[in-house]
mmCIF file of all heavy atoms in Angstrom:
data_model
loop_
_atom_site.group_PDB
_atom_site.id
_atom_site.type_symbol
_atom_site.label_atom_id
_atom_site.label_comp_id
_atom_site.label_asym_id
_atom_site.label_seq_id
_atom_site.Cartn_x
_atom_site.Cartn_y
_atom_site.Cartn_z
ATOM 1 N N ASP A 1 -37.860 -38.004 -35.594
ATOM 2 C CA ASP A 1 -37.345 -38.227 -36.922
ATOM 3 C C ASP A 1 -36.722 -36.969 -37.474
ATOM 4 O O ASP A 1 -37.249 -35.856 -37.245
ATOM 5 C CB ASP A 1 -38.469 -38.680 -37.865
ATOM 6 C CG ASP A 1 -39.005 -40.041 -37.462
ATOM 7 O OD1 ASP A 1 -38.257 -40.799 -36.825
ATOM 8 O OD2 ASP A 1 -40.194 -40.314 -37.766
ATOM 9 N N PRO A 2 -35.562 -37.089 -38.172
ATOM 10 C CA PRO A 2 -34.941 -35.877 -38.729
ATOM 11 C C PRO A 2 -35.828 -35.234 -39.781
ATOM 12 O O PRO A 2 -36.460 -35.911 -40.563
ATOM 13 C CB PRO A 2 -33.627 -36.396 -39.362
ATOM 14 C CG PRO A 2 -33.892 -37.857 -39.602
ATOM 15 C CD PRO A 2 -34.825 -38.305 -38.494
ATOM 16 N N THR A 3 -35.876 -33.934 -39.742
ATOM 17 C CA THR A 3 -36.660 -33.201 -40.736
ATOM 18 C C THR A 3 -35.814 -32.935 -41.960
ATOM 19 O O THR A 3 -34.586 -32.992 -41.905
ATOM 20 C CB THR A 3 -37.136 -31.846 -40.136
ATOM 21 O OG1 THR A 3 -35.997 -31.104 -39.763
ATOM 22 C CG2 THR A 3 -37.979 -32.092 -38.894
ATOM 23 N N PRO A 4 -36.437 -32.629 -43.144
ATOM 24 C CA PRO A 4 -35.656 -32.357 -44.355
ATOM 25 C C PRO A 4 -34.675 -31.208 -44.183
ATOM 26 O O PRO A 4 -33.667 -31.138 -44.877
ATOM 27 C CB PRO A 4 -36.745 -32.018 -45.387
ATOM 28 C CG PRO A 4 -37.966 -32.692 -44.887
ATOM 29 C CD PRO A 4 -37.863 -32.647 -43.378
ATOM 30 N N GLU A 5 -34.973 -30.295 -43.243
ATOM 31 C CA GLU A 5 -34.056 -29.172 -43.076
ATOM 32 C C GLU A 5 -32.810 -29.522 -42.307
ATOM 33 O O GLU A 5 -31.820 -28.800 -42.340
ATOM 34 C CB GLU A 5 -34.762 -27.998 -42.377
ATOM 35 C CG GLU A 5 -35.883 -27.362 -43.183
ATOM 36 C CD GLU A 5 -37.145 -28.194 -43.180
ATOM 37 O OE1 GLU A 5 -37.254 -29.092 -42.324
ATOM 38 O OE2 GLU A 5 -38.033 -27.931 -44.015
ATOM 39 N N ASP A 6 -32.858 -30.677 -41.543
ATOM 40 C CA ASP A 6 -31.709 -31.039 -40.739
ATOM 41 C C ASP A 6 -30.583 -31.542 -41.612
ATOM 42 O O ASP A 6 -30.817 -32.285 -42.581
ATOM 43 C CB ASP A 6 -32.086 -32.137 -39.719
ATOM 44 C CG ASP A 6 -33.075 -31.610 -38.678
ATOM 45 O OD1 ASP A 6 -33.104 -30.387 -38.509
ATOM 46 O OD2 ASP A 6 -33.792 -32.432 -38.067
ATOM 47 N N PRO A 7 -29.305 -31.193 -41.327
ATOM 48 C CA PRO A 7 -28.187 -31.750 -42.121
ATOM 49 C C PRO A 7 -28.052 -33.237 -41.852
ATOM 50 O O PRO A 7 -28.465 -33.740 -40.820
ATOM 51 C CB PRO A 7 -26.967 -30.953 -41.574
ATOM 52 C CG PRO A 7 -27.371 -30.542 -40.200
ATOM 53 C CD PRO A 7 -28.854 -30.287 -40.274
ATOM 54 N N THR A 8 -27.501 -33.959 -42.790
ATOM 55 C CA THR A 8 -27.276 -35.393 -42.645
ATOM 56 C C THR A 8 -26.316 -35.650 -41.504
ATOM 57 O O THR A 8 -25.275 -35.018 -41.404
ATOM 58 C CB THR A 8 -26.682 -35.968 -43.951
ATOM 59 O OG1 THR A 8 -27.564 -35.652 -45.034
ATOM 60 C CG2 THR A 8 -26.515 -37.484 -43.845
ATOM 61 N N PRO A 9 -26.652 -36.575 -40.583
ATOM 62 C CA PRO A 9 -25.761 -36.822 -39.440
ATOM 63 C C PRO A 9 -24.371 -37.214 -39.919
ATOM 64 O O PRO A 9 -24.214 -37.990 -40.853
ATOM 65 C CB PRO A 9 -26.458 -37.999 -38.715
ATOM 66 C CG PRO A 9 -27.885 -37.916 -39.132
ATOM 67 C CD PRO A 9 -27.870 -37.379 -40.532
ATOM 68 N N GLY A 10 -23.365 -36.653 -39.269
ATOM 69 C CA GLY A 10 -21.991 -36.981 -39.602
ATOM 70 C C GLY A 10 -21.388 -36.116 -40.684
ATOM 71 O O GLY A 10 -20.221 -36.230 -41.001
ATOM 72 N N GLN A 11 -22.169 -35.207 -41.311
ATOM 73 C CA GLN A 11 -21.663 -34.349 -42.361
ATOM 74 C C GLN A 11 -21.773 -32.901 -41.916
ATOM 75 O O GLN A 11 -22.752 -32.515 -41.262
ATOM 76 C CB GLN A 11 -22.458 -34.543 -43.654
ATOM 77 C CG GLN A 11 -22.291 -35.905 -44.285
ATOM 78 C CD GLN A 11 -23.030 -36.007 -45.590
ATOM 79 O OE1 GLN A 11 -23.685 -35.084 -46.024
ATOM 80 N NE2 GLN A 11 -22.910 -37.153 -46.245
ATOM 81 N N PRO A 12 -20.739 -32.086 -42.226
ATOM 82 C CA PRO A 12 -20.813 -30.661 -41.846
ATOM 83 C C PRO A 12 -21.894 -29.943 -42.610
ATOM 84 O O PRO A 12 -22.185 -30.259 -43.763
ATOM 85 C CB PRO A 12 -19.410 -30.143 -42.231
ATOM 86 C CG PRO A 12 -18.947 -31.050 -43.310
ATOM 87 C CD PRO A 12 -19.529 -32.409 -42.956
ATOM 88 N N GLU A 13 -22.510 -28.993 -41.971
ATOM 89 C CA GLU A 13 -23.569 -28.217 -42.610
ATOM 90 C C GLU A 13 -22.959 -27.271 -43.641
ATOM 91 O O GLU A 13 -21.936 -26.625 -43.376
ATOM 92 C CB GLU A 13 -24.325 -27.424 -41.550
ATOM 93 C CG GLU A 13 -25.528 -26.664 -42.091
ATOM 94 C CD GLU A 13 -26.321 -25.985 -41.001
ATOM 95 O OE1 GLU A 13 -25.954 -26.188 -39.828
ATOM 96 O OE2 GLU A 13 -27.269 -25.261 -41.329
ATOM 97 N N ASP A 14 -23.548 -27.225 -44.828
ATOM 98 C CA ASP A 14 -23.060 -26.339 -45.903
ATOM 99 C C ASP A 14 -23.351 -24.897 -45.534
ATOM 100 O O ASP A 14 -24.513 -24.518 -45.351
ATOM 101 C CB ASP A 14 -23.774 -26.704 -47.211
ATOM 102 C CG ASP A 14 -23.187 -25.942 -48.395
ATOM 103 O OD1 ASP A 14 -22.292 -25.120 -48.190
ATOM 104 O OD2 ASP A 14 -23.634 -26.194 -49.536
ATOM 105 N N PRO A 15 -22.305 -24.069 -45.379
ATOM 106 C CA PRO A 15 -22.554 -22.664 -44.994
ATOM 107 C C PRO A 15 -23.237 -21.877 -46.101
ATOM 108 O O PRO A 15 -23.861 -20.860 -45.818
ATOM 109 C CB PRO A 15 -21.121 -22.132 -44.722
ATOM 110 C CG PRO A 15 -20.247 -22.990 -45.566
ATOM 111 C CD PRO A 15 -20.893 -24.361 -45.554
ATOM 112 N N ASN A 16 -23.129 -22.329 -47.336
ATOM 113 C CA ASN A 16 -23.756 -21.609 -48.471
ATOM 114 C C ASN A 16 -24.575 -22.589 -49.295
ATOM 115 O O ASN A 16 -24.183 -22.961 -50.396
ATOM 116 C CB ASN A 16 -22.701 -20.922 -49.351
ATOM 117 C CG ASN A 16 -21.895 -19.898 -48.590
ATOM 118 O OD1 ASN A 16 -22.452 -19.011 -47.970
ATOM 119 N ND2 ASN A 16 -20.567 -20.051 -48.596
ATOM 120 N N PRO A 17 -25.705 -23.060 -48.734
ATOM 121 C CA PRO A 17 -26.498 -24.038 -49.511
ATOM 122 C C PRO A 17 -27.022 -23.439 -50.804
ATOM 123 O O PRO A 17 -27.459 -22.300 -50.861
ATOM 124 C CB PRO A 17 -27.671 -24.364 -48.539
ATOM 125 C CG PRO A 17 -27.741 -23.184 -47.640
ATOM 126 C CD PRO A 17 -26.335 -22.667 -47.473
ATOM 127 N N GLY A 18 -26.936 -24.268 -51.878
ATOM 128 C CA GLY A 18 -27.450 -23.824 -53.156
ATOM 129 C C GLY A 18 -26.455 -23.008 -53.961
ATOM 130 O O GLY A 18 -26.710 -22.723 -55.135
ATOM 131 N N LYS A 19 -25.316 -22.633 -53.396
ATOM 132 C CA LYS A 19 -24.337 -21.827 -54.141
ATOM 133 C C LYS A 19 -23.496 -22.732 -55.015
ATOM 134 O O LYS A 19 -22.917 -23.689 -54.525
ATOM 135 C CB LYS A 19 -23.438 -21.076 -53.171
ATOM 136 C CG LYS A 19 -22.408 -20.188 -53.875
ATOM 137 C CD LYS A 19 -21.519 -19.472 -52.874
ATOM 138 C CE LYS A 19 -20.471 -18.621 -53.588
ATOM 139 N NZ LYS A 19 -19.574 -17.950 -52.625
ATOM 140 N N PRO A 20 -23.403 -22.496 -56.326
ATOM 141 C CA PRO A 20 -22.604 -23.358 -57.207
ATOM 142 C C PRO A 20 -21.119 -23.223 -56.921
ATOM 143 O O PRO A 20 -20.656 -22.177 -56.430
ATOM 144 C CB PRO A 20 -22.949 -22.832 -58.616
ATOM 145 C CG PRO A 20 -23.373 -21.411 -58.397
ATOM 146 C CD PRO A 20 -24.067 -21.381 -57.037
ATOM 147 N N GLU A 21 -20.391 -24.292 -57.216
ATOM 148 C CA GLU A 21 -18.948 -24.249 -57.017
ATOM 149 C C GLU A 21 -18.297 -23.285 -58.014
ATOM 150 O O GLU A 21 -18.780 -23.121 -59.141
ATOM 151 C CB GLU A 21 -18.359 -25.643 -57.194
ATOM 152 C CG GLU A 21 -18.824 -26.660 -56.174
ATOM 153 C CD GLU A 21 -18.180 -27.994 -56.373
ATOM 154 O OE1 GLU A 21 -17.384 -28.127 -57.309
ATOM 155 O OE2 GLU A 21 -18.462 -28.923 -55.593
ATOM 156 N N ASP A 22 -17.230 -22.658 -57.572
ATOM 157 C CA ASP A 22 -16.526 -21.723 -58.446
ATOM 158 C C ASP A 22 -15.922 -22.491 -59.617
ATOM 159 O O ASP A 22 -15.282 -23.550 -59.436
ATOM 160 C CB ASP A 22 -15.410 -21.008 -57.674
ATOM 161 C CG ASP A 22 -15.964 -20.086 -56.607
ATOM 162 O OD1 ASP A 22 -17.111 -19.639 -56.764
ATOM 163 O OD2 ASP A 22 -15.255 -19.845 -55.585
ATOM 164 N N PRO A 23 -16.113 -21.992 -60.844
ATOM 165 C CA PRO A 23 -15.528 -22.702 -62.003
ATOM 166 C C PRO A 23 -14.016 -22.610 -61.996
ATOM 167 O O PRO A 23 -13.441 -21.669 -61.448
ATOM 168 C CB PRO A 23 -16.128 -21.925 -63.182
ATOM 169 C CG PRO A 23 -16.451 -20.572 -62.659
ATOM 170 C CD PRO A 23 -16.832 -20.773 -61.219
ATOM 171 N N LYS A 24 -13.379 -23.603 -62.606
ATOM 172 C CA LYS A 24 -11.929 -23.578 -62.689
ATOM 173 C C LYS A 24 -11.479 -22.429 -63.595
ATOM 174 O O LYS A 24 -12.105 -22.174 -64.630
ATOM 175 C CB LYS A 24 -11.405 -24.915 -63.214
ATOM 176 C CG LYS A 24 -11.672 -26.088 -62.299
ATOM 177 C CD LYS A 24 -11.101 -27.386 -62.889
ATOM 178 C CE LYS A 24 -11.346 -28.549 -61.950
ATOM 179 N NZ LYS A 24 -10.798 -29.823 -62.503
ATOM 180 N N PRO A 25 -10.426 -21.750 -63.221
ATOM 181 C CA PRO A 25 -9.965 -20.620 -64.035
ATOM 182 C C PRO A 25 -9.477 -21.103 -65.416
ATOM 183 O O PRO A 25 -8.898 -22.178 -65.536
ATOM 184 C CB PRO A 25 -8.804 -20.017 -63.222
ATOM 185 C CG PRO A 25 -8.342 -21.130 -62.337
ATOM 186 C CD PRO A 25 -9.558 -21.939 -62.020
ATOM 187 N N PHE A 26 -9.758 -20.292 -66.443
ATOM 188 C CA PHE A 26 -9.322 -20.623 -67.790
ATOM 189 C C PHE A 26 -7.813 -20.424 -67.928
ATOM 190 O O PHE A 26 -7.271 -19.403 -67.483
ATOM 191 C CB PHE A 26 -10.057 -19.746 -68.797
ATOM 192 C CG PHE A 26 -9.533 -19.861 -70.200
ATOM 193 C CD1 PHE A 26 -9.796 -20.990 -70.959
ATOM 194 C CD2 PHE A 26 -8.765 -18.850 -70.752
ATOM 195 C CE1 PHE A 26 -9.323 -21.115 -72.264
ATOM 196 C CE2 PHE A 26 -8.287 -18.946 -72.053
ATOM 197 C CZ PHE A 26 -8.572 -20.086 -72.811
ATOM 198 N N VAL A 27 -7.144 -21.410 -68.511
ATOM 199 C CA VAL A 27 -5.698 -21.340 -68.724
ATOM 200 C C VAL A 27 -5.427 -21.576 -70.200
ATOM 201 O O VAL A 27 -5.832 -22.608 -70.772
ATOM 202 C CB VAL A 27 -4.944 -22.388 -67.874
ATOM 203 C CG1 VAL A 27 -3.444 -22.318 -68.183
ATOM 204 C CG2 VAL A 27 -5.186 -22.146 -66.389
ATOM 205 N N PHE A 28 -4.784 -20.607 -70.845
ATOM 206 C CA PHE A 28 -4.435 -20.747 -72.266
ATOM 207 C C PHE A 28 -2.999 -21.229 -72.354
ATOM 208 O O PHE A 28 -2.059 -20.496 -72.036
ATOM 209 C CB PHE A 28 -4.601 -19.402 -72.985
ATOM 210 C CG PHE A 28 -4.348 -19.499 -74.468
ATOM 211 C CD1 PHE A 28 -5.283 -19.999 -75.337
ATOM 212 C CD2 PHE A 28 -3.134 -19.052 -75.000
ATOM 213 C CE1 PHE A 28 -5.059 -20.078 -76.713
ATOM 214 C CE2 PHE A 28 -2.883 -19.121 -76.364
ATOM 215 C CZ PHE A 28 -3.849 -19.638 -77.219
ATOM 216 N N LEU A 29 -2.813 -22.458 -72.762
ATOM 217 C CA LEU A 29 -1.477 -23.050 -72.886
ATOM 218 C C LEU A 29 -1.425 -23.832 -74.177
ATOM 219 O O LEU A 29 -2.090 -24.862 -74.334
ATOM 220 C CB LEU A 29 -1.171 -23.961 -71.681
ATOM 221 C CG LEU A 29 0.244 -24.520 -71.616
ATOM 222 C CD1 LEU A 29 1.265 -23.401 -71.465
ATOM 223 C CD2 LEU A 29 0.374 -25.501 -70.443
ATOM 224 N N MET A 30 -0.644 -23.351 -75.121
ATOM 225 C CA MET A 30 -0.561 -23.970 -76.439
ATOM 226 C C MET A 30 0.451 -25.117 -76.444
ATOM 227 O O MET A 30 1.320 -25.233 -75.555
ATOM 228 C CB MET A 30 -0.135 -22.926 -77.493
ATOM 229 C CG MET A 30 -1.069 -21.773 -77.637
ATOM 230 S SD MET A 30 -0.530 -20.604 -78.941
ATOM 231 C CE MET A 30 -0.776 -21.613 -80.421
ATOM 232 N N THR A 31 0.320 -25.950 -77.467
ATOM 233 C CA THR A 31 1.369 -26.935 -77.759
ATOM 234 C C THR A 31 2.050 -26.521 -79.041
ATOM 235 O O THR A 31 1.474 -25.849 -79.897
ATOM 236 C CB THR A 31 0.777 -28.360 -77.912
ATOM 237 O OG1 THR A 31 -0.252 -28.320 -78.915
ATOM 238 C CG2 THR A 31 0.206 -28.864 -76.630
ATOM 239 N N SER A 32 3.298 -26.947 -79.179
ATOM 240 C CA SER A 32 4.070 -26.560 -80.383
ATOM 241 C C SER A 32 3.485 -27.235 -81.619
ATOM 242 O O SER A 32 2.973 -28.356 -81.564
ATOM 243 C CB SER A 32 5.530 -26.984 -80.194
ATOM 244 O OG SER A 32 6.278 -26.734 -81.374
ATOM 245 N N PRO A 33 3.558 -26.545 -82.759
ATOM 246 C CA PRO A 33 3.093 -27.169 -84.012
ATOM 247 C C PRO A 33 3.966 -28.302 -84.487
ATOM 248 O O PRO A 33 3.578 -29.064 -85.373
ATOM 249 C CB PRO A 33 3.081 -25.993 -85.001
ATOM 250 C CG PRO A 33 4.040 -25.006 -84.448
ATOM 251 C CD PRO A 33 3.973 -25.162 -82.960
ATOM 252 N N PHE A 34 5.163 -28.448 -83.892
ATOM 253 C CA PHE A 34 6.096 -29.501 -84.291
ATOM 254 C C PHE A 34 6.565 -30.289 -83.065
ATOM 255 O O PHE A 34 6.494 -29.787 -81.924
ATOM 256 C CB PHE A 34 7.319 -28.901 -85.004
ATOM 257 C CG PHE A 34 6.969 -27.986 -86.142
ATOM 258 C CD1 PHE A 34 7.359 -26.655 -86.144
ATOM 259 C CD2 PHE A 34 6.231 -28.457 -87.239
ATOM 260 C CE1 PHE A 34 7.044 -25.803 -87.190
ATOM 261 C CE2 PHE A 34 5.910 -27.604 -88.279
ATOM 262 C CZ PHE A 34 6.307 -26.291 -88.247
ATOM 263 N N ALA A 35 7.050 -31.499 -83.292
ATOM 264 C CA ALA A 35 7.553 -32.317 -82.191
ATOM 265 C C ALA A 35 8.766 -31.643 -81.541
ATOM 266 O O ALA A 35 8.927 -31.700 -80.323
ATOM 267 C CB ALA A 35 7.923 -33.715 -82.719
ATOM 268 N N GLN A 36 9.603 -31.015 -82.337
ATOM 269 C CA GLN A 36 10.748 -30.263 -81.825
ATOM 270 C C GLN A 36 10.609 -28.809 -82.244
ATOM 271 O O GLN A 36 10.386 -28.534 -83.413
ATOM 272 C CB GLN A 36 12.072 -30.851 -82.366
ATOM 273 C CG GLN A 36 12.324 -32.296 -81.957
ATOM 274 C CD GLN A 36 12.567 -32.422 -80.470
ATOM 275 O OE1 GLN A 36 13.098 -31.515 -79.802
ATOM 276 N NE2 GLN A 36 12.199 -33.580 -79.908
ATOM 277 N N THR A 37 10.748 -27.907 -81.281
ATOM 278 C CA THR A 37 10.560 -26.482 -81.579
ATOM 279 C C THR A 37 11.919 -25.787 -81.683
ATOM 280 O O THR A 37 12.718 -25.825 -80.751
ATOM 281 C CB THR A 37 9.729 -25.793 -80.470
ATOM 282 O OG1 THR A 37 8.479 -26.475 -80.345
ATOM 283 C CG2 THR A 37 9.478 -24.349 -80.814
ATOM 284 N N SER A 38 12.166 -25.212 -82.842
ATOM 285 C CA SER A 38 13.385 -24.457 -83.048
ATOM 286 C C SER A 38 13.010 -23.087 -83.629
ATOM 287 O O SER A 38 12.290 -23.000 -84.620
ATOM 288 C CB SER A 38 14.317 -25.206 -84.026
ATOM 289 O OG SER A 38 15.474 -24.460 -84.290
ATOM 290 N N VAL A 39 13.472 -22.012 -82.985
ATOM 291 C CA VAL A 39 13.118 -20.647 -83.372
ATOM 292 C C VAL A 39 14.201 -20.057 -84.254
ATOM 293 O O VAL A 39 15.384 -20.050 -83.870
ATOM 294 C CB VAL A 39 12.886 -19.770 -82.146
ATOM 295 C CG1 VAL A 39 12.557 -18.341 -82.549
ATOM 296 C CG2 VAL A 39 11.767 -20.343 -81.263
ATOM 297 N N ASP A 40 13.825 -19.539 -85.411
ATOM 298 C CA ASP A 40 14.758 -18.827 -86.277
ATOM 299 C C ASP A 40 14.782 -17.343 -85.896
ATOM 300 O O ASP A 40 15.793 -16.828 -85.449
ATOM 301 C CB ASP A 40 14.360 -19.009 -87.744
ATOM 302 C CG ASP A 40 15.381 -18.415 -88.706
ATOM 303 O OD1 ASP A 40 16.423 -17.926 -88.233
ATOM 304 O OD2 ASP A 40 15.107 -18.420 -89.922
ATOM 305 N N ILE A 41 13.664 -16.674 -86.053
ATOM 306 C CA ILE A 41 13.553 -15.278 -85.616
ATOM 307 C C ILE A 41 12.380 -15.197 -84.635
ATOM 308 O O ILE A 41 11.279 -15.658 -84.928
ATOM 309 C CB ILE A 41 13.292 -14.332 -86.816
ATOM 310 C CG1 ILE A 41 14.466 -14.418 -87.797
ATOM 311 C CG2 ILE A 41 13.085 -12.913 -86.335
ATOM 312 C CD1 ILE A 41 14.282 -13.544 -89.024
ATOM 313 N N GLY A 42 12.659 -14.647 -83.460
ATOM 314 C CA GLY A 42 11.665 -14.602 -82.410
ATOM 315 C C GLY A 42 10.776 -13.368 -82.462
ATOM 316 O O GLY A 42 10.914 -12.513 -83.349
ATOM 317 N N PHE A 43 9.894 -13.243 -81.500
ATOM 318 C CA PHE A 43 8.944 -12.126 -81.389
ATOM 319 C C PHE A 43 9.650 -10.893 -80.841
ATOM 320 O O PHE A 43 10.429 -10.993 -79.871
ATOM 321 C CB PHE A 43 7.785 -12.528 -80.464
ATOM 322 C CG PHE A 43 6.807 -11.427 -80.190
ATOM 323 C CD1 PHE A 43 5.716 -11.220 -81.036
ATOM 324 C CD2 PHE A 43 6.942 -10.602 -79.070
ATOM 325 C CE1 PHE A 43 4.795 -10.222 -80.774
ATOM 326 C CE2 PHE A 43 6.022 -9.624 -78.789
ATOM 327 C CZ PHE A 43 4.950 -9.411 -79.652
ATOM 328 N N ASP A 44 9.384 -9.728 -81.441
ATOM 329 C CA ASP A 44 9.905 -8.467 -80.931
ATOM 330 C C ASP A 44 9.013 -7.338 -81.414
ATOM 331 O O ASP A 44 8.984 -7.021 -82.604
ATOM 332 C CB ASP A 44 11.348 -8.242 -81.384
ATOM 333 C CG ASP A 44 12.069 -7.196 -80.521
ATOM 334 O OD1 ASP A 44 11.395 -6.231 -80.058
ATOM 335 O OD2 ASP A 44 13.275 -7.338 -80.300
ATOM 336 N N ASP A 45 8.240 -6.775 -80.470
ATOM 337 C CA ASP A 45 7.326 -5.693 -80.842
ATOM 338 C C ASP A 45 7.876 -4.322 -80.472
ATOM 339 O O ASP A 45 7.192 -3.312 -80.572
ATOM 340 C CB ASP A 45 5.964 -5.885 -80.180
ATOM 341 C CG ASP A 45 6.045 -5.887 -78.662
ATOM 342 O OD1 ASP A 45 7.173 -5.939 -78.122
ATOM 343 O OD2 ASP A 45 4.983 -5.836 -78.005
ATOM 344 N N THR A 46 9.158 -4.304 -80.044
ATOM 345 C CA THR A 46 9.776 -3.024 -79.648
ATOM 346 C C THR A 46 10.954 -2.672 -80.549
ATOM 347 O O THR A 46 11.050 -1.551 -81.078
ATOM 348 C CB THR A 46 10.251 -3.113 -78.189
ATOM 349 O OG1 THR A 46 9.155 -3.457 -77.348
ATOM 350 C CG2 THR A 46 10.834 -1.773 -77.744
#
């Protein structure tokens, strides 16, 4: 009989058992405050 330590037949053995999956990277992407975006004066810090 398979022991608890044996991997399930037909499935690859996990090389890093117990290791949590890497979280998805944070992406900051805004939406426009209006349905149509029109710029009068743009950003300029120089």
Side-chain angles (χ1 to χ4, degrees):
D1 295 334
T3 60
E5 292 78 16
D6 294 337
T8 303
Q11 294 183 358
E13 185 176 355
D14 187 356
N16 298 307
K19 181 181 179 182
E21 296 182 359
D22 293 334
K24 294 182 179 180
F26 171 74
V27 177
F28 183 78
L29 186 63
M30 300 182 68
T31 55
S32 175
F34 308 119
Q36 298 292 330
T37 304
S38 177
V39 178
D40 186 4
I41 299 178
F43 175 88
D44 198 326
D45 60 350
T46 304

